[in-house]
Amino acid sequence: QVQLVESGGGLVQAGGSLRLSCAASGRTFRNYAMAWFRQAPGKEREFVAGVSWNGGSTDYPDSVKGRFFIFRGNVRNTLYLQMNSLKPEDTAVYYCAVTAGDYDRVDYWGQGTQVTVSS
């Protein structure tokens, strides 16, 4: 059974930093891209960051570019999101995701971790 377990969320003041972690298990994800999404109350889930299967390519929307950094861990099937210069509008539930194709065709989702940024 595939499981994606996120951790590292919490409450932080604006301008602060957090690092989210995701541990995937249940199968080998060697050829899968991994990504982070987020969903704020009353809004649709949105793409935050993605990394290719070998870690060689990353992708970010303009809203987080230069502040968020996604990377795969040395331990197989681990994923991280370093979030710097956090803003109140970054407040959301953050989800880890795995895809064999594009970031808009996610195969597996984590359960989410709450990030709250106070002003």
Side-chain angles (χ1 to χ4, degrees), residues 82-100:
Q82 178 66 41
M83 304 186 294
N84 301 325
S85 302
L86 283 161
K87 305 175 181 180
E89 51 264 42
D90 294 319
T91 295
V93 177
Y94 284 70
Y95 297 91
C96 176
V98 175
T99 174

Side-chain angles (χ1 to χ4, degrees), residues 29-91:
F29 295 102
R30 180 176 299 176
N31 295 323
Y32 283 70
M34 300 185 77
W36 290 94
F37 290 74
R38 68 186 180 188
Q39 187 167 21
K43 295 187 177 182
E44 293 187 352
R45 190 174 298 188
E46 64 173 348
F47 173 78
V48 173
V51 59
S52 61
W53 68 273
N54 63 355
S57 176
T58 56
D59 193 16
Y60 306 92
D62 288 343
S63 58
V64 307
K65 194 172 293 182
R67 299 189 299 122
F68 289 14
F69 300 93
I70 186 171
F71 55 100
R72 304 180 80 128
N74 292 328
V75 175
R76 184 176 293 180
N77 292 346
T78 56
L79 180 70
Y80 300 93
L81 182 68
Q82 178 66 41
M83 304 186 294
N84 301 325
S85 302
L86 283 161
K87 305 175 181 180
E89 51 264 42
D90 294 319
T91 295

